[in-house]
Amino acid sequence: MGAYKFLNSKYLDSFLAGRLRLGSLESYRSIENPEIRDEREGIDRAFQSGAIVPNTREMHQRLLAVGIDAGRGATLINNTFVRSIGSTHIFCYSAGPLQELKKRWSSYDACVEILDPNAFASKIWERGSVGGMDLKRFAEGMLHAPVAYTYRDTDISVEDPLPLHLTVFRKEPRFSPDSEYRLALISRNTGGAVFVGVPDAASPF
């Protein structure tokens, strides 16, 4: 099983030269391309299947995790809690059989194999920069993990909500053919895409 980045050929030289585009999570909620648009990108929803009385530490912590600081005498009924992760930029690639992935990403006319994804991720974090600023100063951190294709709704009556930063690695099951892995840059800056410069970026390809 290989790891591949599909892209338009007009961006190929820039990519191989070490100029990597990381799109914001917010942009993928409204992007024109329906293949990759996800209106719930980076958004987590929790609900309750019954009345909740926060009279235990465990239940109180669950409510705090979704932004509710309820007193012990309160009763919560029929609520849905929506959380959105903060400023995050992502670089995506796919891992799986190449012929299947080529069918999935047929709208792109170029493909680069990433021979060592972990080395690639490490190089971005250790040596990357944005506008001349060291990436470790530009961002609070970077995560690298596969996407889990599972529903994002959590019943907090019976289970803990997912840590909010992990919602970046969850998508609806309809996206499962993407076989996606992500590098998630936890940014200090909001806005559109960022371009990360990485010296000798092509060595893991």
Side-chain angles (χ1 to χ4, degrees):
M1 180 180 73
Y4 306 94
K5 176 64 178 177
F6 291 84
L7 66 165
N8 291 316
S9 57
K10 63 181 179 180
Y11 302 123
L12 182 58
D13 288 344
S14 178
F15 179 78
L16 292 176
R19 190 168 188 260
L20 311 183
R21 181 187 185 277
L22 279 69
S24 69
L25 280 181
E26 294 90 339
S27 70
Y28 287 105
R29 297 174 193 158
S30 57
I31 196 168
E32 291 184 4
N33 186 345
E35 283 190 325
I36 56 179
R37 184 173 60 241
D38 180 3
E39 293 81 359
R40 289 190 60 185
E41 191 70 77
I43 295 176
D44 176 72
R45 219 167 45 184
F47 66 96
Q48 55 181 111
S49 58
I52 293 178
V53 179
N55 56 2
T56 65
R57 184 178 184 278
E58 178 184 30
M59 188 56 70
H60 187 64
Q61 291 298 318
R62 285 181 188 170
L63 290 172
L64 285 177
V66 296
I68 302 297
D69 188 2
R72 289 183 177 272
T75 300
L76 284 76
I77 301 174
N78 297 329
N79 290 290
T80 298
F81 310 95
V82 179
R83 303 179 297 164
S84 176
I85 194 168
S87 181
T88 303
H89 293 82
I90 57 174
F91 175 89
C92 309
Y93 66 91
S94 296
L98 179 57
Q99 293 307 312
E100 293 181 17
L101 293 174
K102 286 172 69 174
K103 294 176 183 178
R104 173 66 183 96
W105 301 114
S106 59
S107 61
Y108 295 104
D109 61 354
C111 172
V112 176
E113 183 175 7
I114 303 174
L115 300 176
D116 190 336
N118 289 326
F120 179 56
S122 178
K123 176 171 284 191
I124 292 173
W125 181 241
E126 295 297 332
R127 302 186 63 189
S129 62
V130 175
M133 178 186 293
D134 187 275
L135 193 59
K136 292 181 179 180
R137 292 181 57 202
F138 176 84
E140 296 178 5
M142 190 179 77
L143 304 171
H144 178 213
V147 170
Y149 297 97
T150 182
Y151 291 108
R152 300 189 182 114
D153 296 352
T154 302
D155 182 357
I156 63 170
S157 302
V158 296
E159 60 182 325
D160 293 336
L162 188 76
L164 186 57
H165 71 278
L166 294 182
T167 61
V168 69
F169 298 107
R170 293 178 75 184
K171 291 179 71 70
E172 301 289 346
R174 65 188 175 92
F175 290 102
S176 60
D178 297 358
S179 300
E180 186 180 344
Y181 279 66
R182 287 180 167 182
L183 304 177
L185 194 66
I186 312 303
S187 307
R188 294 189 174 95
N189 299 278
T190 58
V194 299
F195 291 88
V196 179
V198 184
D200 192 27
S203 59
F205 303 145

